[in-house]
Amino acid sequence: MSGVRCISRGTSVWSSFRHEDQILFRCRISVLNLKGPENGYIQSSQSPGVPIHTFTLEQVQHGLVSYVHRGPSNTKIVLQVSDGIETGDPVILRVAAFELQVYLVNKTGLSITHGSWALITPANLSYTTNAPEQDLEVFFEITGQPRYGAVQRLRGPDRWADVEQFSSRQLQKGKIRYVHINTEPHEDEFRFKLFCGDQKFPTEYTFSITFVSVTVDIIRNAELLIDRVQESFISEGFLQSETRPDPTPSRDIMYKIISPPMYGSIFLSSGDLTQHKQLKKGSNFSQEDVAKGRIKYRLHRKSYSTLRDSFQFKVTSNGRASTVHTFNIRHTPPPVDADIVVERMDIREGGTEKITDKYLKIEVQNIRNIVFNVTVPPKHGAINVVDESMVTPARLNTTFFTSHEINSGTVSYTHDDSESTKDRFHFVALAEDPQVDFQYVGVMHFRIIMINDNHPLRTMEKVINVVTNSERVITANDLRYVDPDIDTPTTSIQYTRSKIPNGEFYHVEDRSDPVYLFTQEDIDRRRIVFRHEGPSYGKSVISVTDGQLSSTGILEVVASEPFIEIVNNSGIIVPRGQEAPISNYNLSVETNMNAWGAAILFRVTKQPRYGRLVGLGSLEPRNTFTEADLQNGHLRYVNKGDPSFRDEFRFQARIGDTTTEGIFEVKVNVFDQALINQGRVHYVEVGTNVTSDHFVFDVTNGISSLSRLVFNIQVIPKTIYLSAGLIQVDEGAHTTVTPSVVTVLTDYYTDKIRQYLVTVQPSAAVMDPDTPAENLSITVATPDSGFLALASNLSHPVSSFTQADVNNKRLYFTHTGGLSGMFRWEASDQVHGTGSHVFTVTARELHLHLRHNKPMWVFPMMQQTLSSEVLLTLTSDYDPRRSVMYVVRQAPLLGHLLLEGPGGVRVPVENFTQRHINESRVIFEHTSPFTELSASDMFVFDIETPFAEPLRDQEFHLEISVASPRGGGLERYLGLAPLVVAEGGQATVRPDNLNLSAVLEFIEGYPAASSSDRPPPRLITTVTAVPTHGVFTLRKRNLTEGYTFTVRDIEKGRVRYEHDHSDTLRDAMGFTVALAGNGSSPDVLLFNGSLNVSVTPVNDQPFTLITIPPVMKVVHRQNAVITNHSLLTTDPDNPPSEIDYELMNTPDHGRLILAHNYSVAVQSFTQEDINAGRILYAHDGTNDSDRFYFKVSDGKHEPKYTVFTIEIQPLTLTLVNHTVLPLRQTTTTAYLTPHHLAAHTNGNPNHIFYNVTRPPRFGHLYMNDQVVHTFGQVNIDKGEILYMQVEMTEPADNFQVDIWTWEATVPGVEVRVAVSPLIESNPMTAVVGGRTRLTLEHLDASQLATVTGSSPVFKVKRRPRFGRIKKVTRRVRRSGRSHEVQQFTHEELRAGVIYYVARKLNLKAEEPLHDALHYVLHVPAPGIQPAEGTLRLTLVEAGAVLKEGAEPPRHLRPDLPPSVRGSSETSSAGNGNSELFLGIPEDYLMVVVAGAVALVAIVAIVVVARFATRRRHSDKRRDVVMDADVASLPPPLPSDSRPNSFLTDDMSELECRPTDLPSSPRPGRHLHHHHHNGGSGSLGLAAHLTDSDASWPHDISREVSPAVPQCKVTPLCTDTASRDTPYDPHLAGYPYGMDTQQAEEWGLYEKHQPRTTNPMLRKNQYWV
């Protein structure tokens, strides 16, 4: 209740203090109580919060004194007044305090557009208190800021700042606003609390901001008409936009050009219209520019044609943009002086025709060459240009060509052979000289003459199911062919079938004889039935023709017990609360019974829960329905509207006693948000004259829902309907056409029409209210371009007539020439006259249009009438009274044209009219016989009519053939059903086999065949090829080549066929049918073909089992196909499909299954199944062999019984490829291929798998972008395994895999990855004892240097055996000195300062010595891995020539295991070759060996004698004396960790040999052990060799010269350190912990350099 209240005048308290006005303001008022502020106090507004005890009445009058309440609600204030002279009595002022409250006045919220701001005023937000007279200020504290904008306060001129609170007085002063900042929400809000003075109110309020979408509407977008000028301004009468709901200044409405016009440009003029800027794509202009006439369109060049141009634009304002709109421009040219021809061309389907100046020509004075630019290419073809050779294409599918190319005949149009009847392309023609002001825009059309060039296509291909020993009607759902060619009827698609082994086809109206020829129409109308007899499966070859082209297919028939099965049950989607039809597209069944439509009954066993099934026109639930109901759409599902998303009903389909059951699912949903996001939800209009539509829908996420939402659709009508009223106007006056006269009936366009286009101007009739039209005479004078005439005599000019003649349409203007004219006229009623007026006349040019010019089919030696369907010419005014004359310039060669006159007399003619053609009086008669089946003819003609340009050199083609013009030759009449005969039997040729009578009737029915001057037609049938396996006879006389027979012979059954009893299934006789000549002319060939004979075999020969005994091999636990190599039975009388195998017992350790379905066990099969690989044997995993007992039979002869044996072979797995995976330096990836790693098994190769037991140390294995630890051989074969190096400091990597299949494993296979240096290396030849320079010819890392931008470094990994690598240092005035180096660079090689210095060796037999430099190629650039390589060196004596392919001496060859040395050394050793060293005679060796043997025997005796005395040493010697057990010795160090000095290398090769080894080295001893996998044998060694190492024949490190002293070395200790520690090539040979600075190399000591201390021994070096 605490508060402040102003003590104001007018309070009754002060009335007692008022004495006189002059002393009023001198009175002072004193407060006698209120000594402490805790009980309230009085304050001055000039010093708020400071208690005062005196104040003047003047301050009270000005409202400067107020009371601040504290303490209890009821308070007394004691006051006393004084005027300075007298003092009044104390007065008590009672104060009653009350609770401060606030009340809402306005909280309407804001409504703004996106991207704008608006002031928050008291009209939007205001509160008041319960002390209104105190004018307390209410403060608003924002507790929740708006999400998409900010509340701001005006801090200074145009400076707004975000605030956390504001007051009611700031709202009154217009200093508070809301500004929208981001996104485009529908609404925003901020929350606030109120406080006033010291009192805060806890209630939180919300202020809402609603966004109104600003739309940019184009209110005017009219076509710009440019009439006979080249430019025009675009004003607001053509283009105007505005924003809604709030208007925007025109300068802020911007147009952005999306695509500029094609034939002109848009220009923006400056304010004074003196400068013009061309607007291009992306340019902008404003609505203000349009309003002020600154935008204009100008053609690029002067147009000689009517053209339509356009540009696309968007309109933007305040961040809102419209969709893309099109502004259309139409230009009408002035009269031009040019010869322009653009005519339609006729092209045969898939053909090519030249575009000549007959169809496309533009000739303009002073323009020599015109370029035709193709702006819109043809859709169904291409414009091509060839070079001058007329053969080589110059530009295919060109975008331009010239008039010179048209005249030279190099431009052509090629049709793409599609089934299209027309095509066109748009072009703009320009002068070749760009300075010439000329352009012509046009369209050239092509008419495509269709031809039959597509084979029949099968659209329904499935097996025909039939009940065993029953019939089945064949429908289009079983067999259907269509012709892709246009307008081919189903009657033209004819089937010819061969014999089928399990039944016959019959016609439903005659089931006595099988049918072999029927049409698609017969199938569509269910006229063909199949009757099953015989085996359950059968197939037949069918030939399908459309009368010209044919296709071949297979017709399969399967007989089984009656069944019915569901083949389609896709369900439906229905809106909630609505209905949807259920058709055969949603639910259909398949059956082998002869039933369809109403015969297939569906019974609903469980009704839907959330809806019901109803029939057509009924709401009662349906319990049954038929297939006919589904096909006719008579079944509907009606949803009840319950909140469920799915429904279903159960049903049973029944045909007689055969049933099947199913569940039909109903989804109660229309679409989801995903479909909307994908743009797959469409609205399709189905009504007419509908301008708006809507649908009601619910939205739910399964938890909460929004119901009864309405989606409104505005349909834009295609047609604007107008209503026109009557306009009344006084004579000679004018009036305004108001909206009431012209009313828009289409609601959508009511407020959108801005302009009306007058298409027909009002007529200028003469009217006189007091004179009838008969008395108004009109006189004309000086008519131009023609004359006036009355209908009674159009050839007689008149100069006067009446208004009644005009009103009754009796007055005509006869045109005599010129395109424009005029005449003057004057009307008079005999009293008054109108004066002279001018009547203008504009004539339209008359053109001829050749509408039809189709090839006409003519039967040989017959007549054919020309009709308007094949030849028709119309005039552009479509006046049937005009005479169109055809003038024949070139007559046909194979016949002549006839004109039928009165009385039916036909005479030759050279000219005829369109009327003659329309009356069927023009006839072509074929008169020239020919020997082929067809011929072509033509005649050339001109088309003429008065006042029109004639059409010259037109061609009319005539196709002379026995084939029908609608497709199909005489085959359709001949029948040609195969003649069926039993093996060794006879058959008579019937009319269905060879129907010559139908051919004769066809010819006799031809109009020209019945003329009196022609003899009746006669057919001659001649045998051209006799049958191979029989004979045709006529009256028991054999028909051989050249014999003839007649129609009557066939009708009387005189022609018969006798089979020769051979085991053949078919035969044929070739024949021709010709129309007999009249004596003076030869016969006309009508048909050349053959009559097929189908032989029904007789099973009279037994079958033979070829494979005796039948046996096959199967891998353990695998499947194998039984082929005809294991099981084959032949029968000369039966096909493989009729040789049946039946199992007497099943296999014990497996089963026979189908190749395409492993779940089906086989009990019987045919030889055809064996030949096709359909039968598999699947082994069950036991180790025993298997067998099954079967019988084979052909169905007639005695079956044979035998046993089929199956031998089980073990499953094997072998490693066939195992090489190093190379990784090229500078690359990080390499694919693992079968060349690097491959295994082979005799089982399924797809079951070979690799488990990575030790992954790569410095990389990963990937498959399909994923790190992989298991993969298969099939992945390696497909190149899917990728190694990627990630640690780029290592030159090699390796990983280990176990290879396994189901029953075999190859463990511990190590795969090495080696980085191959990016270098070109060639072997080097050096002279012993000399110095040889290393150049880029030997080691060239230029490519690596270029790629990395650095100088690669060669670090010596293992020094050469017989030389050193030295670097020459050149000094001034002194000869160069050299020193040995452990590394050198690419640039030093390029500079030629690196040398190989060879030792002085004595080479024998002039044979070379091999050496090698092993190096590591480093790159100082980051991210490039090092790579190891080897430079091969060949040492020769000075002056010696190294022979190609020379081998080093035997004593210099390396001591390698046989697996590395190769087959040559192994074979030689195995052959017992005792010649260990080349160049040593064999007899000398024998002496040495004998001495060595004696020496060994003596040593053995000494050893045995001293054995007792030295027993304490026996255990130690037992380990050393073992000759073969090298495995007990410490493993040898890697080759690159052994000492590199010239002396110790030889010793290191001995490596702790047993004491009984000879003093001279013997090759191939200590590496001849452990060749099995997993050991340390050859496989492990090969894994540590690079490709270059493996390919080089010798290892230099093992070559030992006989000049070097040799000794035995006894190891002092065994190196038992772990081999997994990192390997350092510099410290590998020294004791662990030794620094490289302390290590010394033996090879560094020159002969002339004395040693003061003994060098440090390596771990495998010993003092001797």
Side-chain angles (χ1 to χ4, degrees), residues 1587-1624:
D1587 289 344
S1588 57
D1589 291 330
S1591 62
W1592 191 255
H1594 306 291
D1595 188 350
I1596 304 303
S1597 64
R1598 299 193 180 276
E1599 295 182 356
V1600 182
S1601 173
V1604 178
Q1606 306 193 11
C1607 64
K1608 293 184 292 183
V1609 178
T1610 301
L1612 302 179
C1613 63
T1614 301
D1615 182 11
T1616 60
S1618 174
R1619 295 293 177 179
D1620 295 334
T1621 57
Y1623 166 66
D1624 189 341

Side-chain angles (χ1 to χ4, degrees), residues 265-305:
S265 298
I266 306 296
F267 291 88
L268 172 62
S269 304
S270 59
D272 55 359
L273 303 180
T274 58
Q275 298 180 354
H276 308 283
K277 174 187 176 183
Q278 181 179 353
L279 300 181
K280 301 180 179 179
K281 181 179 179 180
S283 300
N284 297 286
F285 61 94
S286 66
Q287 185 65 48
E288 184 181 46
D289 296 330
V290 177
K292 293 185 178 182
R294 299 173 184 167
I295 306 299
K296 70 176 179 179
Y297 170 87
R298 180 192 300 166
L299 290 170
H300 293 314
R301 294 177 176 85
K302 179 181 177 181
S303 179
Y304 279 54
S305 63

Side-chain angles (χ1 to χ4, degrees), residues 1041-1151:
E1041 292 186 14
Y1043 273 74
T1044 63
F1045 53 91
T1046 64
V1047 175
R1048 192 166 182 81
D1049 294 332
I1050 298 296
E1051 293 175 347
K1052 295 295 184 179
R1054 299 168 182 167
V1055 180
R1056 296 177 59 82
Y1057 172 79
E1058 298 179 6
H1059 188 245
D1060 62 0
H1061 218 288
S1062 61
D1063 291 322
T1064 54
L1065 299 178
R1066 59 186 58 87
D1067 206 352
M1069 176 189 70
F1071 68 95
T1072 61
V1073 179
L1075 182 64
N1078 54 11
S1080 61
S1081 61
D1083 299 339
V1084 177
L1085 179 63
L1086 302 182
F1087 178 79
N1088 186 359
S1090 60
L1091 174 61
N1092 295 323
V1093 178
S1094 177
V1095 181
T1096 303
V1098 176
N1099 195 354
D1100 57 353
Q1101 297 189 38
F1103 59 90
T1104 303
L1105 180 62
I1106 303 298
T1107 53
I1108 298 177
V1111 63
M1112 69 177 296
K1113 297 180 179 180
V1114 179
V1115 177
H1116 187 260
R1117 205 185 291 275
Q1118 302 292 310
N1119 299 340
V1121 177
I1122 301 178
T1123 67
N1124 52 14
H1125 297 288
S1126 303
L1127 184 60
L1128 176 61
T1129 302
T1130 62
D1131 189 340
D1133 292 329
N1134 296 85
S1137 60
E1138 297 180 2
I1139 300 177
D1140 297 321
Y1141 296 89
E1142 183 179 354
L1143 300 187
M1144 298 294 98
N1145 70 308
T1146 59
D1148 296 331
H1149 307 301
R1151 61 186 186 131

Side-chain angles (χ1 to χ4, degrees), residues 419-475:
E419 298 300 316
S420 53
T421 58
K422 58 185 178 180
D423 202 0
R424 66 181 181 180
F425 71 91
H426 298 248
F427 66 91
V428 55
L430 304 174
E432 189 176 40
D433 184 2
Q435 304 300 323
V436 177
D437 191 14
F438 165 84
Q439 69 175 353
Y440 182 92
V441 178
V443 181
M444 186 171 184
H445 296 267
F446 301 95
R447 184 181 63 175
I448 312 302
I449 301 173
M450 307 305 297
I451 61 175
N452 188 358
D453 60 344
N454 288 288
H455 293 262
L457 181 65
R458 192 167 189 173
T459 59
M460 182 58 66
E461 182 174 6
K462 65 179 184 180
V463 176
I464 299 176
N465 293 291
V466 63
V467 178
T468 303
N469 298 324
S470 182
E471 291 185 349
R472 168 77 186 280
V473 174
I474 308 302
T475 67

Side-chain angles (χ1 to χ4, degrees), residues 389-648:
S389 67
M390 307 300 289
V391 176
T392 305
R395 298 190 304 277
L396 295 178
N397 202 7
T398 184
T399 58
F400 72 94
F401 53 89
T402 66
S403 57
H404 287 344
E405 292 174 334
I406 292 178
N407 296 333
S408 61
T410 60
V411 183
S412 63
Y413 167 82
T414 300
H415 186 243
D416 61 2
D417 206 20
S418 62
E419 298 300 316
S420 53
T421 58
K422 58 185 178 180
D423 202 0
R424 66 181 181 180
F425 71 91
H426 298 248
F427 66 91
V428 55
L430 304 174
E432 189 176 40
D433 184 2
Q435 304 300 323
V436 177
D437 191 14
F438 165 84
Q439 69 175 353
Y440 182 92
V441 178
V443 181
M444 186 171 184
H445 296 267
F446 301 95
R447 184 181 63 175
I448 312 302
I449 301 173
M450 307 305 297
I451 61 175
N452 188 358
D453 60 344
N454 288 288
H455 293 262
L457 181 65
R458 192 167 189 173
T459 59
M460 182 58 66
E461 182 174 6
K462 65 179 184 180
V463 176
I464 299 176
N465 293 291
V466 63
V467 178
T468 303
N469 298 324
S470 182
E471 291 185 349
R472 168 77 186 280
V473 174
I474 308 302
T475 67
N477 293 328
D478 303 315
L479 179 62
R480 183 173 181 81
Y481 274 80
V482 298
D483 191 353
D485 292 310
I486 299 176
D487 297 332
T488 300
T490 54
T491 55
S492 298
I493 301 178
Q494 298 181 346
Y495 293 81
T496 302
R497 70 168 183 90
S498 62
K499 183 175 178 60
I500 189 165
N502 63 341
E504 288 291 353
F505 288 89
Y506 298 89
H507 198 281
V508 292
E509 298 178 357
D510 183 9
R511 306 194 182 190
S512 60
D513 294 325
V515 293
Y516 293 87
L517 181 68
F518 49 89
T519 67
Q520 184 64 50
E521 184 185 42
D522 296 333
I523 296 177
D524 295 343
R525 299 193 177 185
R526 298 174 179 173
R527 299 171 181 165
I528 306 300
V529 64
F530 178 82
R531 181 187 301 164
H532 173 251
E533 295 178 38
S536 60
Y537 175 80
K539 65 179 179 179
S540 171
V541 178
I542 56 174
S543 175
V544 187
T545 178
D546 59 3
Q548 184 174 350
L549 301 175
S550 62
S551 300
T552 302
I554 299 296
L555 188 62
E556 296 179 277
V557 180
V558 174
S560 62
E561 295 299 318
F563 73 84
I564 178 174
E565 62 180 11
I566 302 170
V567 295
N568 180 23
N569 188 7
S570 61
I572 60 171
I573 299 176
V574 60
R576 179 174 296 157
Q578 299 185 29
E579 64 182 35
I582 302 176
S583 67
N584 56 333
Y585 294 101
N586 312 116
L587 178 61
S588 61
V589 296
E590 179 73 25
T591 180
N592 62 349
M593 292 178 281
N594 212 17
W596 59 83
I600 301 178
L601 180 67
F602 294 82
R603 185 171 63 87
V604 180
T605 58
K606 182 179 179 182
Q607 290 286 345
R609 182 178 180 182
Y610 304 105
R612 63 181 184 275
L613 297 175
V614 299
L616 183 64
S618 174
L619 297 179
E620 294 297 323
R622 291 281 298 268
N623 294 320
T624 61
F625 56 90
T626 65
E627 186 184 58
D629 295 331
L630 295 174
Q631 294 172 347
N632 299 325
H634 292 172
L635 185 67
R636 295 176 298 150
Y637 169 84
V638 180
N639 183 256
K640 297 178 181 179
D642 294 339
S644 175
F645 289 95
R646 70 179 301 274
D647 200 358
E648 66 179 27

